Amino acid sequence: MASLIEEIRTLGTQALADIRAAASLEQIEQLRVAVLGRKSRLTQLMRELAALSEDERRKAGMILNEVKDTVADELKKRRAELESAERAREIAGQTVDITLPGRTRLFGRRHPLVQVRRQIEEIFISMGFSIALGPEIENDFHNFAALNFPDEHPARDMQDTFYLPGGWLLRTHTSPVQIRAMLATPPPLAVIAPGRVYRADADVTHSPQFHQVEGLLVDRRVTLGDLKGVLEAFAHRMFGAQYQTRFRPSFFPFTEPSAEMDIGCVICSGVGCRVCKGTGWLEILGAGMVHPAVFENVGYDSEKWTGFAFGMGVERIAMLKYGINDIRLFFENDKRFLEQF
Amino acid sequence: MQFSVRWLQRYADLDMPVQQLLNGLTMAGMAVEGVIDVGLVSGKIVTGEILDIQPHSAAKKLHVCTVRASADSAVPPLHIVCGAPGMKVGDRVPLALPGAVLPGGRVIERCEIRGEWSEGMLCSGAEVGWNKDGSCLLTLDAAYPIGEGVDALVDVGVTPNRPDCLSLLGIARDIGAYFRRAVHPPKFRCIETMDRTDDFAKIAVEDKEGCPRYTARVVRNVRVGPSPVWLARAVEAAGIRSINNIVDVTNFVLIELGHPLHAFDLDKIAAHTVIVRRAREGEKLVTLDGIERTLTPEDVLITDPTRPIALAGIMGGENSEISDSTINVLLESAYFDPVRIRKTRRRLDIQTDASFRFERGTDRENIHVALNRAAQLVREVAGGEITRGVLDVVGTRSKPQPITLRIQRTNDILGADLEGSHIADILVAIKCEITHSDHHQLVVVPPSHRVDLLREIDLIEEIGRLYGYEKIPASIPYLPARATAENPLQETADRIGEILAAEGLSEVVTYSFTDRESLQRAYQSAEDAVELVNPLSRQQSVLRTSLMVSFLDTIAYNQKHGNADLAIFEVAKSYRCVGSKDTPYQEHLYAMAALAGCTPAHWSEPPRPWDFFDIKGIVERVLRRLGAAPEFIERPRRPDFHPGRTACFTRAQRDLCVFGQVNPEVTAAWEIRGDVFLAEFDLEALAPYVSPRVGFRPLGQYPAVTRDLALVVDRGIPAGELELTLRTAAGDLLEGLLLFDVYEGEKIPAGKRSLAWSLTLRAPDRTLTEGEINTLIERILASVSARHGAELRTL
Ligand SMILES: [Zn+2]
């Protein structure tokens, strides 16, 4: 009995020493089979315990199991150590040149005009306006007459119009959408009309095709103060609250009183530069209270309802926002230009 | 409208700093659009008086001038080297001091010129931007004080509703009201002789509609010659060329009072009789600019009994023009109908200072004042005698009508809280007459020069403008909340833009314009292209019937600028004539995507040219993400595309998207190198199928099984047909189907190809057994064998 226990302990001690000395995962596996396998001496001794008395068997069995557990733990520990060392060797050989460029994939962007248009739309949508759309090919009624541009009035010279056969025209602003919206919907109304417009004019700051976002609010007791509030909020969200705004009297046939809104020059911060012609101010949009004649033209009661309208050129806003000096760049679509936005 | 600040200051008390005045103009609604500063703002260009002129010791053409440059005679004069011819002792001229910046950007410094120091520069009219004359110094009259900044020439934008501001007096009146300063109309006396005007000239107006009022005066025995300095400078300061003393007077009165006048050589008018009538069809007149004009009855014509002598309100005729030999002058001051003047000047494509004012509306009560002022000035600068009385033919009279202005309404529109008395003060400042007032309203008669004040809202605008927009408190309104109808087309357009950008394509914005030849070269329909009546150029003479031409232009442009590899898209319209009477034109919304050149280059794999399957992949993913599943794929008949490399996804017999390679014949016509692959999404066809809702399918809880089948079929059998058979045969258990290899070559018989599919099978309610799977695979194989002669490839 004593020699049996002695042998168990000796086997255990030897096994632990062998395991600690093992230098590879293969050796560990061999040791596991040799020490704990079915043909191992410890397994054999386990079977021999059956011949002992119950008391001795329990005692010896306890010792045997204890040795087996210790050996198994040691095997596990050493295996983990060796695995970890192996991984460390692998990792050491896996170093890449982190300065090589990453794998490329096409990188798509929205056009700067679309980005700016959507930004304008989102600001007004968040205030409660919704989007209205209309055709680019219009008639005189929607583009001029309903907007209180009398026939043969010099106000028509403010917009050089492209005409189509049959008295049709390419809309010179998105205001016809406002007329269509009012003809289709009774008040109250809060819409913005983004879209492509055309004027027969071409130079560094004028393109025969450009984009506008116009807005219209009609409700009871809308005031010029409301117009100021909404447009100031817009300017601050578009360009940043650090820029001042100012409203100057102006003239549009379809609004009265009419105004133009300037913001402090985003290029020179108001000191005066070439872009702002030394004034420190940049005009960004035109606006005004809807002229009663327009309401009369669409069948709204101008005594019950008041409203304001405003309009801005997307190109102008984008040029100021990004410091672009030539409007033609937007339509040339040079890849080197498009990839900057 | 350009004017001199010093002249403006003669008509109102505007002694504030110039910057404050300029800011006031802008805030009163006359936006300052440009300033030619001749020293008034900077103080660096002053009026100097030449005291002495000595020859330069070292240069024959130069002189050394002694110039007084201060009002204080104790301040020593300056030495200025100058080479200008014709200067005289006593001349007042602009003197640019060191530090002055001339309008062209030139900076003046103290400098040594051939051994003599110069303390500045004496300037010509061209050098300071006053006129175009660079040949001699700009002489100034005694009204320009020595030592002070000379002047500032200001250009303001006058809106079309405010013709009353197209003169010095008009601007003074308005800005005077803005600053609440006194206004001073010119004071003058028209001294007449005892001779009666109607002994020398007669007037008859036949066209009373075109000419509601015509007045004239005669000035006899004038001496035509150059204008005095003050007059020449005054008209030049407004941007008008000085011509002679008579013409300059008419132009000066136009600038000063805003009413256009015309001066005739009375002796060139047959029978000294002026007849105002409609022109006859085809009648001809050579105007002052030497151009022969062909007239129509809509034109108002000034004639004598024998011939036309002037185009009323627009331009005089050559045949009655003032010349050096003119002795007797007929001065015309009339009111012409704005619409008639506008029609004529538009048809003839001429714009003059006179027509500009007449078509906007002139002050009917100003006609006499302007006529008398002109007669008096002619007498002053050209001598002569003004005969007694004005020839005056009045057709129709029109007086400003009273307007009722409600105080509550005014405050409601402005968002202000103004008292009635405050409102009345503002209206009085702009020369309105208040004929009645109570707690609720005012009855207002506008002055005759304010042709824009016709209804209540016009007055409310004036109140807001002169009260000051900046004083109106900003407020945020409650917006009328209302659910808006969804617009599926707009939704589709927005979403496809986002998807294509996410696919890696960059958005472009191209012109809607093109020309017929480009459409034809791209095999696009050109007969129904919408033509512009007044295009800016031939290249932009029609609206495109397809976005393809714009894309070819964009790709060709980029290739020329070294950008060979391009992946772009646009969401935009094309346009067509459809011939219907009510809606003769049709707009159609498309999204177009294009690939040109190669895939992006990277060190790990070589770039390769884009091919059909790149564009097809984009199209498939776009349709899938939109939720618009196509039903069929077809080969469309499209001459603009490559016949073998083009496909079309359809649904309900409509083309959702045509995609493939652009016909190489077309790309060659644009001199584009390499293949171009294009996809044209018809957004109007797609919109009905675009579903923003994604249906959820429960995830299978039982394990999936994957089986690979390599099927050998005849080369000509489309993969799509095989796929359809596989799907049909596999039924509901087929969860996924992937074609992972296409092989043609030695390992299989000639004329055949192998298509290797990976099938993922899963049942929602049980684990599939081996037997079940084998039965299914056999059924699939039997089906593809029967339909396509497919055999399982054995490896
Ligand atoms: Zn600036």
Side-chain angles (χ1 to χ4, degrees):
Chain A
M1 172 62 196
S3 66
L4 180 68
I5 289 170
E6 185 57 37
E7 189 182 354
I8 292 170
R9 290 230 155 98
T10 310
L11 279 169
T13 309
Q14 183 59 47
L16 289 180
D18 290 348
I19 290 165
R20 281 186 196 122
S24 71
L25 289 166
E26 293 79 50
Q27 279 180 351
I28 289 289
E29 183 57 16
Q30 283 163 16
L31 282 168
R32 187 188 64 78
V33 173
V35 181
L36 301 175
R38 279 194 295 128
K39 293 176 182 165
S40 72
R41 181 65 186 144
L42 278 177
T43 309
Q44 196 184 337
L45 288 173
M46 187 65 103
R47 281 195 289 272
E48 287 172 15
L49 291 186
L52 300 179
S53 71
E54 193 186 327
D55 196 35
E56 283 174 332
R57 194 171 65 222
R58 190 166 355 97
K59 197 172 163 206
M62 236 170 64
I63 292 166
L64 187 74
N65 279 327
E66 201 182 289
V67 168
K68 274 177 79 176
D69 286 352
T70 310
V71 168
D73 281 353
E74 192 61 30
L75 272 170
K76 199 173 155 196
K77 203 174 117 203
R78 184 62 189 153
R79 182 187 295 275
E81 276 172 17
L82 286 169
E83 279 173 352
S84 174
E86 189 154 306
R87 273 197 301 274
R89 274 194 305 280
E90 257 173 50
I91 288 167
Q94 287 172 338
T95 304
V96 298
D97 177 357
I98 57 167
T99 65
L100 281 172
R103 200 157 270 123
T104 53
R105 195 180 158 262
L106 284 181
F107 185 85
R109 299 151 223 256
R110 301 305 303 258
H111 192 279
L113 288 177
V114 175
Q115 290 187 29
V116 170
R117 189 201 80 211
R118 287 164 60 99
Q119 209 177 340
I120 297 168
E121 286 171 2
E122 276 157 23
I123 293 171
F124 286 108
I125 287 169
S126 76
M127 295 187 199
F129 288 82
S130 48
I131 292 183
L133 298 172
E136 294 171 20
I137 297 174
E138 270 292 5
N139 55 25
D140 187 271
F141 174 76
H142 290 110
N143 196 76
F144 288 125
L147 288 158
N148 197 33
F149 284 82
D151 236 7
E152 292 297 339
H153 192 276
R156 291 199 173 202
D157 296 349
M158 293 166 85
Q159 307 182 352
D160 295 320
T161 311
F162 282 118
Y163 288 96
L164 306 179
W168 294 74
L169 49 84
L170 294 178
R171 65 179 178 191
T172 56
H173 44 193
T174 59
S175 312
V177 180
Q178 300 183 11
I179 296 297
R180 289 174 179 276
M182 287 191 279
L183 287 170
T185 322
L189 194 65
V191 292
I192 52 167
R196 205 174 263 212
V197 301
Y198 304 87
R199 289 184 199 175
D201 203 356
D203 61 33
V204 171
T205 52
H206 295 90
S207 167
Q209 162 189 308
F210 61 104
H211 299 78
Q212 277 194 333
V213 177
E214 293 203 349
L216 170 72
L217 170 67
V218 182
D219 203 348
R220 292 179 200 275
R221 302 180 74 90
V222 176
T223 69
L224 187 65
D226 293 338
L227 168 71
K228 281 182 69 178
V230 165
L231 293 179
E232 273 172 13
F234 162 74
H236 287 157
R237 284 178 62 181
M238 194 72 206
F239 291 98
Q242 70 269 35
Y243 294 106
Q244 288 208 302
T245 58
R246 72 172 185 186
F247 288 80
R248 288 181 285 108
S250 188
F251 168 75
F252 306 104
F254 40 99
T255 55
E256 189 162 25
S258 297
E260 281 176 317
M261 184 171 78
D262 298 340
I263 57 161
C265 180
V266 297
I267 313 288
C268 67
S269 300
V271 180
C273 68
R274 212 171 46 82
V275 177
C276 61
K277 293 185 199 153
T279 62
W281 293 96
L282 294 169
E283 178 201 326
I284 58 165
L285 57 81
M289 303 302 292
V290 180
H291 197 290
V294 174
F295 282 155
E296 287 150 20
N297 290 337
V298 297
Y300 279 18
D301 182 343
S302 64
E303 285 293 316
K304 262 201 205 147
W305 304 96
T306 56
F308 64 69
F310 58 85
M312 67 193 88
V314 178
E315 281 77 0
R316 168 123 184 114
I317 305 275
M319 286 169 88
L320 294 177
K321 211 174 154 63
Y322 299 120
I324 295 166
N325 55 8
D326 187 341
I327 198 168
R328 291 169 290 208
L329 284 165
F330 290 120
F331 306 107
E332 274 172 6
N333 299 299
D334 191 304
K335 188 182 182 187
R336 294 163 299 170
F337 175 79
L338 299 174
E339 285 183 348
Q340 294 181 38
F341 300 95
Chain B
M1 151 109 198
Q2 185 181 305
F3 66 88
S4 132
V5 170
R6 282 202 185 269
W7 268 101
L8 183 69
Q9 287 169 333
R10 297 189 193 192
Y11 301 95
D13 296 340
L14 300 168
D15 50 357
M16 66 280 295
V18 183
Q19 276 304 346
Q20 195 185 334
L21 174 64
L22 297 181
N23 193 50
L25 286 164
T26 294
M27 295 311 286
M30 286 175 278
V32 173
E33 290 172 352
V35 177
I36 300 170
D37 177 27
V38 192
L40 193 62
V41 181
S42 70
K44 295 288 188 187
I45 305 174
V46 300
T47 304
E49 183 186 5
I50 300 176
L51 299 178
D52 185 35
I53 305 172
Q54 294 296 327
H56 189 289
S57 52
K60 227 195 270 175
K61 286 186 176 165
L62 295 180
H63 293 90
V64 180
C65 304
T66 307
V67 181
R68 190 156 75 94
S70 169
D72 182 353
S73 53
V75 175
L78 302 176
H79 286 266
I80 309 289
V81 177
C82 183
M87 56 184 167
K88 302 189 303 293
V89 168
D91 280 354
R92 286 183 186 218
V93 294
L95 165 61
L97 298 170
V101 183
L102 300 185
R106 182 171 166 196
V107 180
I108 303 302
E109 284 162 19
R110 183 175 179 271
C111 61
E112 196 184 344
I113 301 167
R114 321 253 327 242
E116 293 280 358
W117 279 95
S118 186
E119 312 280 345
M121 184 177 102
L122 302 179
C123 303
S124 70
E127 280 161 338
V128 294
W130 199 292
N131 58 28
K132 301 262 187 299
D133 188 357
S135 69
C136 61
L137 298 181
L138 183 77
T139 49
L140 299 164
D141 63 283
Y144 285 92
I146 305 289
E148 289 186 19
V150 180
D151 209 338
L153 308 184
V154 176
D155 189 17
V156 292
V158 176
T159 53
N161 60 326
R162 293 299 306 276
D164 63 295
C165 288
L166 294 170
S167 66
L168 287 164
L169 181 60
I171 294 171
R173 220 161 27 202
D174 206 58
I175 197 69
Y178 181 81
F179 283 117
R180 305 290 197 282
R181 298 295 182 92
V183 177
H184 313 294
K187 288 198 179 70
F188 61 91
R189 271 184 64 209
C190 187
I191 300 163
E192 302 174 327
T193 64
M194 292 307 287
D195 302 322
R196 287 167 55 94
T197 307
D198 51 14
D199 288 342
F200 298 98
K202 302 247 179 310
I203 307 292
V205 178
E206 292 171 6
D207 182 2
K208 292 237 159 55
E209 182 220 332
C211 177
R213 189 167 187 189
Y214 195 97
T215 70
R217 267 192 182 275
V218 170
V219 186
R220 290 168 49 78
N221 299 316
V222 300
R223 283 178 305 279
V224 177
S227 288
V229 169
W230 74 265
L231 180 57
R233 289 304 89 83
V235 294
E236 286 165 359
I240 300 173
R241 200 161 56 89
S242 171
I243 294 172
N244 59 44
N245 48 8
I246 309 293
V247 174
D248 285 3
V249 162
T250 60
N251 281 330
F252 176 77
V253 174
L254 172 102
I255 300 158
E256 183 185 51
L257 302 176
H259 198 86
L261 303 170
H262 188 64
F264 295 94
D265 183 332
L266 180 58
D267 301 312
K268 291 180 189 162
I269 300 174
H272 294 177
T273 299
V274 171
I275 302 157
V276 185
R277 59 167 170 83
R278 283 178 183 271
R280 299 183 185 108
E281 188 66 55
E283 205 167 357
K284 294 202 164 48
L285 170 67
V286 178
T287 42
L288 283 176
D289 53 8
I291 298 171
E292 186 183 73
R293 312 282 178 175
T294 304
L295 309 175
T296 76
E298 79 177 359
D299 306 326
V300 187
L301 196 60
I302 314 294
T303 68
D304 66 19
T306 61
R307 58 183 184 165
I309 55 172
L311 195 51
I314 300 173
M315 200 182 273
E318 244 180 19
N319 56 20
S320 56
E321 177 179 13
I322 300 290
S323 68
D324 291 347
S325 56
T326 298
I327 295 166
N328 300 312
V329 173
L330 179 95
L331 290 169
E332 165 203 288
S333 180
Y335 181 85
F336 297 111
D337 179 61
V339 171
R340 295 276 300 280
I341 297 299
R342 179 177 162 82
K343 281 186 173 162
T344 300
R345 79 105 184 128
R346 264 164 55 90
R347 195 191 73 244
L348 298 175
D349 194 23
I350 23 176
Q351 179 71 285
T352 62
D353 288 322
S355 65
F356 192 80
R357 286 162 176 80
F358 278 123
E359 71 169 297
R360 280 162 175 71
T362 51
D363 178 1
R364 290 168 180 236
E365 303 302 315
N366 203 15
I367 294 172
H368 263 203
V369 183
L371 182 65
N372 290 336
R373 177 66 163 157
Q376 173 256 334
L377 285 173
V378 166
R379 183 172 173 276
E380 196 179 304
V381 303
E385 305 104 39
I386 305 167
T387 58
R388 187 154 51 87
V390 172
L391 304 177
D392 191 346
V393 180
V394 185
T396 54
R397 272 194 183 276
S398 153
K399 282 218 161 241
Q401 295 303 303
I403 304 165
T404 302
L405 175 69
R406 291 164 293 172
I407 293 160
Q408 182 64 47
R409 174 78 171 171
T410 305
N411 285 320
D412 280 353
I413 295 278
L414 297 178
D417 195 14
L418 300 177
E419 304 276 341
S421 56
H422 193 165
I423 291 174
D425 284 348
I426 290 172
L427 292 172
V428 168
I430 56 166
K431 310 282 184 262
C432 286
E433 191 189 338
I434 296 172
T435 59
H436 168 89
S437 72
D438 59 38
H439 288 305
H440 304 292
Q441 58 189 37
L442 307 171
V443 178
V444 181
V445 181
S448 62
H449 59 266
R450 290 303 301 270
V451 296
D452 61 317
L453 301 183
L454 299 171
R455 52 189 289 180
E456 186 183 33
I457 194 69
D458 302 326
L459 295 177
I460 294 174
E461 175 169 62
E462 288 303 288
I463 313 287
R465 185 172 71 91
L466 292 162
Y467 174 62
Y469 286 1
E470 71 281 1
K471 293 197 199 111
I472 291 170
S475 49
I476 295 284
Y478 283 107
L479 288 205
R482 166 179 291 188
T484 50
E486 279 177 32
N487 184 335
L489 188 60
Q490 178 60 20
E491 169 95 19
T492 307
D494 277 350
R495 286 187 54 209
I496 203 166
E498 285 306 294
I499 295 168
L500 285 166
E503 278 293 329
L505 279 65
S506 287
E507 189 168 21
V508 297
V509 175
T510 59
Y511 287 113
S512 307
F513 311 109
T514 183
D515 58 87
R516 268 185 217 287
E517 294 69 35
S518 293
L519 290 170
Q520 280 158 354
R521 278 188 304 155
Y523 300 116
Q524 302 300 327
S525 91
E527 313 77 55
D528 57 353
V530 182
E531 195 161 350
L532 302 188
V533 172
N534 54 334
L536 285 182
S537 66
R538 210 177 57 84
Q539 290 75 30
Q540 300 193 328
S541 56
V542 302
L543 298 180
R544 61 184 173 197
T545 54
S546 158
L547 273 64
M548 188 189 273
V549 284
S550 312
F551 270 59
L552 293 166
D553 288 343
T554 302
I555 292 165
Y557 177 92
N558 271 287
Q559 279 200 351
K560 284 195 183 75
H561 288 79
N563 314 317
D565 301 332
L566 220 54
I568 53 174
F569 76 94
E570 180 173 17
V571 182
K573 284 175 174 176
S574 71
Y575 314 81
R576 272 167 209 275
C577 297
V578 289
S580 127
K581 197 171 172 300
D582 292 335
T583 50
Y585 307 108
Q586 195 179 60
E587 301 171 22
H588 200 101
L589 191 62
Y590 288 97
M592 185 165 275
L595 299 172
C598 292
T599 56
H602 190 252
W603 53 269
S604 65
E605 56 209 329
R608 60 167 179 81
W610 296 115
D611 66 23
F612 175 85
F613 298 101
D614 289 310
I615 197 77
K616 186 177 179 191
I618 291 171
V619 171
E620 285 170 332
R621 286 188 297 276
V622 166
L623 294 181
R624 191 155 159 203
R625 287 177 63 176
L626 281 175
E631 281 173 350
F632 298 106
I633 185 161
E634 293 168 3
R635 286 191 193 273
R637 290 166 182 270
R638 285 278 296 248
D640 47 343
F641 280 91
H642 186 301
R645 296 181 177 172
T646 299
C648 175
F649 280 123
T650 65
R651 181 154 168 174
Q653 278 89 51
R654 272 191 90 172
D655 295 354
L656 300 182
C657 179
V658 176
F659 59 94
Q661 184 179 341
V662 177
N663 189 335
E665 202 62 50
V666 173
T667 41
W670 260 260
E671 293 174 5
I672 292 170
R673 295 180 303 278
D675 299 341
V676 173
F677 294 90
L678 208 79
E680 180 187 81
F681 296 88
D682 182 337
L683 296 193
E684 298 185 17
L686 279 168
Y689 306 116
V690 170
S691 97
R693 280 180 295 278
V694 176
F696 168 74
R697 231 178 19 211
L699 307 181
Q701 296 300 314
Y702 294 88
V705 180
T706 302
R707 285 292 155 88
D708 292 349
L709 300 176
L711 301 173
V712 178
V713 290
D714 287 344
R715 276 195 71 209
I717 292 173
E721 289 183 15
L722 201 59
E723 178 184 336
L724 193 64
T725 309
L726 283 170
R727 286 187 185 279
T728 312
D732 292 341
L733 295 178
L734 184 70
E735 188 179 78
L737 180 65
L738 175 74
L739 177 68
F740 66 89
D741 187 42
V742 178
Y743 175 79
E744 282 177 55
E746 298 159 5
K747 293 176 191 165
I748 56 173
K752 300 262 181 191
R753 67 175 176 169
S754 157
L755 301 165
W757 307 83
S758 176
L759 289 74
T760 304
L761 304 166
R762 195 199 301 263
D765 54 352
R766 63 189 189 282
T767 302
L768 292 172
T769 64
E770 196 68 13
E772 229 179 329
I773 294 163
N774 290 341
T775 313
L776 180 61
I777 294 295
E778 264 156 41
R779 200 167 75 219
I780 291 170
L781 288 175
S783 181
V784 293
S785 166
R787 276 181 177 257
H788 310 294
E791 286 172 28
L792 194 61
R793 182 175 168 200
T794 44
L795 295 169

